[in-house]
Each structure stands twice: as structure tokens, then as C-alpha cells.
Amino acid sequence: MSGNPVPKRSDTVYQSLRRAIIEQALQPAMRLPEDTIGEQFGVSRTIVRQALNRLQMEGLVETRPHHGAYVAKPTLEEARDVFETRRCLEREVVRKLVERVSVSGLDALDAHIAQEDRVRDGPRRDGPRSIRLAGEFHVVMADLTGNKVLARYVSEVVSRCSLILAIYSQRHSSDCAVDEHRRIVQAIRDNDVAAAMQIMDAHLGAVEARAALVEDPSPDLKTVLNRYTEESAR
Amino acid sequence: MSGNPVPKRSDTVYQSLRRAIIEQALQPAMRLPEDTIGEQFGVSRTIVRQALNRLQMEGLVETRPHHGAYVAKPTLEEARDVFETRRCLEREVVRKLVERVSVSGLDALDAHIAQEDRVRDGPRRDGPRSIRLAGEFHVVMADLTGNKVLARYVSEVVSRCSLILAIYSQRHSSDCAVDEHRRIVQAIRDNDVAAAMQIMDAHLGAVEARAALVEDPSPDLKTVLNRYTEESAR
DNA sequence: TGGGATTTGTTCGTATGTATT
DNA sequence: GAATACATACGAACAAATCCC
């Protein structure tokens, strides 16, 4: 009856796959056969399918009937939708935090930024870990609002943004991001709603701009062919 | 390869259950055994479970390990979170629509409102159909933005709001709601962002107020006991 | 064009855990 | 308090569909 005594077998698979996708270990459009994954994790296909279904609803994987699951490969349009929705949600997060964040909440944010700094100054500054931490900062902020629904949505769009950046951006260059995180926290600490929202918007705009600069790098041969098959099928 | 030639077996079950919950045919906290549902729909438990999993992620169904699925019964706190997030999302919807809605889009909204009128003036003015239509108006608006992510989130919170109203409000009294819908569309047609957002906020505020008036009607015996068992487990 | 290999979709039987008598 | 009833959790096998050769 307590919180979660049994983490559920599928949760482990889910989280592992999620991290692997976000950290770009599993690249977009890569196939995810149930057998292979199940064999790797030592679980049955039933478990794997549960994890894949969850990831599909989050937009991190896509499936085609009788074709199985792939790592999602968002189009530029989908990417724009995700970023737009993310800005909308995070504005609300900032607004709420300025209103009612606790001291311990601000401490948690500081601690997270410190961690980002440590990783940034470490051996691999733009490594997978750095990518994940940059996203998690926003998730921590959303959690601090106390609004579970809002936090879940933010977590989702942040994940998808990581995937999008994995496709459309060569380097993450998270250096400036950490500093922007710091400035956001400062504005919240100063109870300055306008500044906090403005910085957050600029921050997300910068992230989106990084993505928009580069057109789809991997040639869309497969996608193009698919489009043609679809048209001939009509 | 075309859009969706095979609607998938679980989709049928999913949509039926979803409608049944939203229209309050299946009441909150009601048990949803896989066997019974599968027998009713003539499908196996596997299919039912897929549908239930989807509903769970949408917040319409809750499950406890080895205990199965229930119709969700949101607490007042969860209800507040849902409403707050909904206001945030729908402000964005209105903002986008004023910016770039098409004529045919406005026509679609008018048509929907006309349908709401017909049902309202029909035999059962506050019936299940009226409840569903009131929610679907907002989903249609979100779809018209063209932002798929935003539309999915709006659809989700609207569903959950219907469930919340089913618990915390005796009568839906959707009369005023239809008129407010009309005023929102008018403001969008006039390209008046401020007015549209203000009306939308007031509209959602009114809906929320209807819910907040009534404390949980069904005695919380079960919930209370659960809380105590949880505390003793700590 | 057709056959085989591979992968998913589904069913059903067994085991496990919970709640009740 | 123990045993029983019941529903889910999981897994193995079968069936269907797709793609490649």
C-alpha cells in the first residue's frame, strides 16, 4: 500500500530505453525489435512491449503495424510543435515558482546547477550526461511547482526536445545553457516574474534556434520513399 | 500504408471505455476487471489491458498492483492541477487561433456550437451527450491550431475535467457554457486576443468554480482508511 | 512472381499476490 | 489467523503479416 514497493519489471526497461534514447545512444529511426531488447534485459516480450507502448505515447518511439518500434525521428514541423508547447508550459512553471517556491526548492535548483557545472568542466563537456542534466533541470523546476500534471507534460516535452536536438543539432554546446539556468533561478529568487519569463523564453528560443539552423542531416531517402509509396497507395 | 486501414482491436475498446467514463456511465472508483470487459467486447484480456494502459496514462483510469484497474477518482488537489494546466494550455490555443485561424476553421466552430444548441434544446438538456459535446468544443479548437502536441494535451485535460465534474458537480448546467463558447469564437473572429483570452479564462474559471463548490459527495471512508494505512506503513 | 525468414499480434495457461471468509 | 477465491502478472506457443531474396 505504500508508495511503490515493487518498481515493476517494465519500469526498468522503460527507464533504460528512455535514457538510452535521450543520451543518443539509440539513434533516431533505429529499429527496436522486441526479441533483442527482451533478450538483453532478460525479460519476456510482454514486458518490453509495455515499455515500448509507454515510450510511444511519450513520443520517443514510433511504431508501424506489423513493423515494430523505432526510435522516433520527429519532423521539423513536429519539432516546432514540441518547442512551442514547451514554451507555453514552462512560462507557467516560472510564473508559479516566482509565486510560491520554497527556500529548499531554490537550494535544489542551485545544487542541480552545481552538478551541471561539474560535468561541464569534466573530461567530456558535451557528453550524454551533460545533455541529460540540461533537460533534467527543467524537470526539477516543474516538479517544484507541485502541479503533477504540469510536471508530467514538461517532462515529456523536455525528453522530446532532447531527441530533437539529437537529430537537428551537431553539438549541444550546453555551456551557455548552464549560465542561463543560473540567471533564471536568480530572477525567481528576486521575485521578478517578467525577467524570469523573459529569460526562460530567450533560453528556449536559443535552444530551438540551435536546432533550426541545421536541416535534416541524414538524407531522408527512406522517408521520401515512404512518402511515395503512400501516395501511390491512394 | 494509408492513414489507418485497420483501426486496431484495442482502439475500439479504448474509445468505448473512454466515452463511457466521460459520459459518467462508468462511475469513479468503479472496478474494471479485464475478464468482464473482455467478455463484453468479445476480445481477450490482452486487448483490454492495452486499452486500460492507455486510459491510465491519460489519467482516466488508475491501477494498483495485483488489484486491477478502476475508473479514476481524482482528489481535489489533482482536480486543481488539471484545471490550472488546462487554463495554461487553452490560453495558448486562443492566442494561436487569433493569429492564424482559417475561415473554414471558424465555420467548424460555429457548426459545433449549433450542434450543442440542438442537444441543449433537445429532450435531455444536461445529458451525457451534452457533457461530451461541451468538452469536444475545446478539443476542436485545439485541433485547429495545427499543433498536434498541444492538441493532445488539451484533449487529455478536457477528458479529465469531464471526469472531475462528474465527481464534484451535481448538475452540469451547460447552458451558459454554450453561450460562452459563442463569445469566444466571436472574439477570435474579431481578432481580439485580449478579449478572447479573458473570456476563455472566465469560462474555465466558471467551470472550475462549479466543481469547487461541492466537496466530495460520496463519503471518503475508503480514502480515509487508505490514508491511515499508508501512514501506519511509514 | 513466389517462397521463406523474421517479426509482430494474439491467445491461453500457469504463477503470484491480494482480499475476503 | 489460516485458507480459499479471485484477479492480475507473466511467459510460452501459435497465427498473421511483412519484407527480402
Side-chain angles (χ1 to χ4, degrees), chain A residues 63-131:
Chain A
T63 71
R64 275 178 24 206
H66 297 97
H67 248 266
Y70 307 78
V71 177
K73 191 166 183 295
T75 64
L76 276 170
E77 189 188 348
E78 287 168 342
R80 242 180 287 122
D81 287 352
V82 171
F83 271 111
E84 185 176 64
T85 309
R86 176 173 177 177
R87 269 204 297 273
C88 166
L89 291 169
E90 298 226 42
R91 265 196 297 269
E92 179 74 7
V93 168
V94 166
R95 201 186 57 71
K96 283 207 69 173
L97 286 188
V98 171
E99 239 177 38
R100 60 186 278 287
V101 73
S102 64
V103 177
S104 65
L106 287 169
D107 290 344
L109 291 175
D110 285 337
H112 192 96
I113 289 175
Q115 194 181 359
E116 288 189 81
D117 275 333
R118 275 197 300 278
V119 173
R120 188 192 64 175
D121 298 334
R124 296 173 250 104
R125 32 192 304 162
D126 291 327
R129 182 118 180 267
S130 184
I131 297 175

Side-chain angles (χ1 to χ4, degrees), chain A residues 1 54 57 64 81-82 84-85 88 91-92 96 146-150 152-153 156-157 230, chain B residues 1 54 57 64 81-82 84-85 88-89 91-92 96 146-150 152-153 156-157 230:
Chain A
M1 288 279 180
R54 254 176 95 177
M57 295 193 198
R64 275 178 24 206
D81 287 352
V82 171
E84 185 176 64
T85 309
C88 166
R91 265 196 297 269
E92 179 74 7
K96 283 207 69 173
N147 185 327
K148 297 263 178 57
V149 181
L150 187 62
R152 187 167 77 78
Y153 288 163
E156 232 179 81
V157 292
E230 276 175 357
Chain B
M1 291 280 182
R54 253 177 95 177
M57 296 194 197
R64 274 176 29 204
D81 288 352
V82 171
E84 185 177 63
T85 309
C88 165
L89 292 168
R91 266 197 297 269
E92 179 75 7
K96 283 206 69 171
N147 185 328
K148 298 259 176 59
V149 181
L150 187 61
R152 185 166 79 76
Y153 288 162
E156 235 180 76
V157 291
E230 276 175 358

